[in-house]
Amino acid sequence: MDLRHLRYFIAVAEELNFTRAADRLHIAQPPLSQQIRQLEEELGVMLLHRTKRRVELSGAGQVFLEHARQIMRATEVAAVQTRRAERGEIGRLSVGFFEHTSYTLLPPIFRSYRERFPDVEVDVRWFPVIGQADALRRGEIDISFMRPVGDFEDITTEGLVTEPFVIAVPASHPFAAKDSLALSDCAAERFVMYTPHLAPDFHDMILRMCAAAGFTPRVALEVGQVYTCLGLVSSGIGFAFVPSSVQRVHLDHVVYKPLRGRSLPVEVMLGWRSRNTSPLIRAFVGTAKDVIAALEIGNANKKNG
């Protein structure tokens, strides 16, 4: 028995006429009659009562018709859902993120992704930036926002954003009135810095930029997250380097100033285990790239790239 037998039987049962059923199926009548007989022989029951004038369903045929229809409907649903799965439209996706993406890149990307793929169940998990690659390897997440920190040997990445640093300045500071700052102007200022074991890339880049400008930054405090930096800047404790996309966050008593000259680039990417070729990942990456292309920071990247 195969789906063809079921389809043929349903046509005959609904038409109660072999000629009309054959026309409906676009086949000749003798092969249709033969297929129905084969089905009855396999089942060991009479599905149809035939006379020269009419065809009627037997009691067994009525039961079989109901189940045959259910099977065909289930088969159609299975085919549709399988194609949707191949397009990344259904399933479950676990996404990792680190702190400053939660209020810059992640919200617009997630909004767009949920609009495009409402039937995908999305789970989001926070990890420190130094923990993303290991979380992927452990299978705790499927895909993650990442910065180039740690070993990516078995991780495939897709770049999203390359942006400069800007300086977050207390609104009460005289520099808050300037349009932009040269890094050398800030040599006497105190800085809220990033802890090297939590944000080694930021820590190293800032030290290198300051060294190129001829000074070593005076450290007021070291913290692990961008938002903590901004809170301390708003308290007047010092200046802070933050990625330019963070300017989308409006915090009382904090102003952002672009740096004159070339800043070392801050990179944000999506990463996933290289052996994971899930259509869900392809769909998420495609959505993220579309969103980034439409954002202001995407235009800024092109200008600064």
Side-chain angles (χ1 to χ4, degrees):
M1 186 190 308
D2 57 31
L3 293 178
R4 179 185 57 186
H5 286 108
L6 299 184
R7 188 168 66 254
Y8 286 3
F9 171 73
I10 291 171
V12 174
E14 290 178 348
E15 298 293 343
L16 293 178
N17 183 287
F18 276 85
T19 301
R20 290 198 300 269
D23 289 343
R24 169 173 156 181
L25 295 167
H26 304 293
I27 63 173
Q29 181 178 331
L32 175 59
S33 299
Q34 182 181 10
Q35 292 293 322
I36 298 301
R37 281 196 298 271
Q38 289 177 357
L39 178 61
E40 290 177 319
E41 290 172 1
E42 182 170 348
L43 293 172
V45 299
M46 184 70 70
L47 298 174
L48 299 165
H49 296 305
R50 308 164 179 82
T51 68
K52 291 184 178 180
R53 295 185 177 181
R54 60 190 303 177
V55 176
E56 292 181 344
L57 280 171
S58 67
Q62 291 173 353
V63 172
F64 191 74
L65 176 60
E66 178 181 349
H67 288 285
R69 285 169 169 164
Q70 291 175 0
I71 292 169
M72 295 304 294
R73 284 195 295 267
T75 302
E76 291 171 3
V77 170
V80 169
Q81 293 297 81
T82 299
R83 288 191 286 269
R84 294 189 69 201
E86 178 61 24
R87 295 192 296 266
E89 295 178 0
I90 57 173
R92 180 170 183 168
L93 186 68
S94 182
V95 181
F97 68 96
F98 56 90
E99 181 253 353
H100 92 252
T101 57
S102 68
Y103 47 85
T104 55
L105 305 182
L106 188 147
I109 290 173
F110 266 50
R111 283 194 298 269
S112 180
Y113 183 75
R114 288 185 180 279
E115 289 173 1
R116 293 186 184 188
F117 304 100
D119 294 328
V120 175
E121 183 179 352
V122 181
D123 174 39
V124 294
R125 299 192 61 184
W126 174 88
F127 294 92
V129 69
I130 58 170
Q132 303 293 336
D134 285 340
L136 286 168
R137 294 186 181 101
R138 291 192 301 267
E140 295 181 39
I141 47 179
D142 302 309
I143 189 169
S144 186
F145 292 88
M146 308 180 78
R147 295 204 307 262
V149 177
D151 176 18
F152 282 15
E153 182 180 354
D154 53 348
I155 304 297
T156 298
T157 61
E158 180 75 35
L160 289 182
V161 170
T162 302
E163 57 182 331
F165 280 110
V166 297
I167 296 285
V169 177
S172 59
H173 194 283
F175 283 4
K178 292 180 174 289
D179 292 330
S180 61
L181 296 174
L183 196 50
S184 57
D185 295 338
C186 306
E189 303 300 328
R190 290 164 59 84
F191 285 86
V192 180
M193 292 285 286
Y194 298 95
T195 306
H197 71 276
L198 290 178
D201 54 336
F202 278 14
H203 183 85
D204 179 65
M205 292 165 68
I206 291 167
L207 290 181
R208 282 190 284 151
M209 286 191 296
C210 291
F215 71 97
T216 300
R218 298 172 59 208
V219 179
L221 282 172
E222 286 189 343
V223 299
Q225 298 181 332
V226 172
Y227 202 77
T228 306
C229 275
L230 294 177
L232 294 172
V233 171
S234 73
S235 301
I237 290 177
F239 290 9
F241 290 84
V242 296
S244 65
S245 61
V246 173
Q247 294 176 91
R248 299 167 66 88
V249 178
H250 300 285
L251 204 66
D252 289 344
H253 312 297
V254 176
V255 294
Y256 302 99
K257 298 298 172 183
L259 285 167
R260 295 197 295 273
R262 191 167 184 84
S263 165
L264 290 177
V266 177
E267 296 181 62
V268 178
M269 59 196 74
L270 287 172
W272 59 94
R273 286 166 290 172
S274 298
R275 65 179 181 272
N276 189 344
T277 58
S278 166
L280 291 165
I281 288 177
R282 295 198 302 268
F284 189 85
V285 171
T287 300
K289 293 178 70 174
D290 289 346
V291 170
I292 292 299
L295 288 176
E296 184 178 348
I297 58 172
N299 296 330
N301 292 342
K302 294 176 183 177
K303 293 176 183 177
N304 286 283

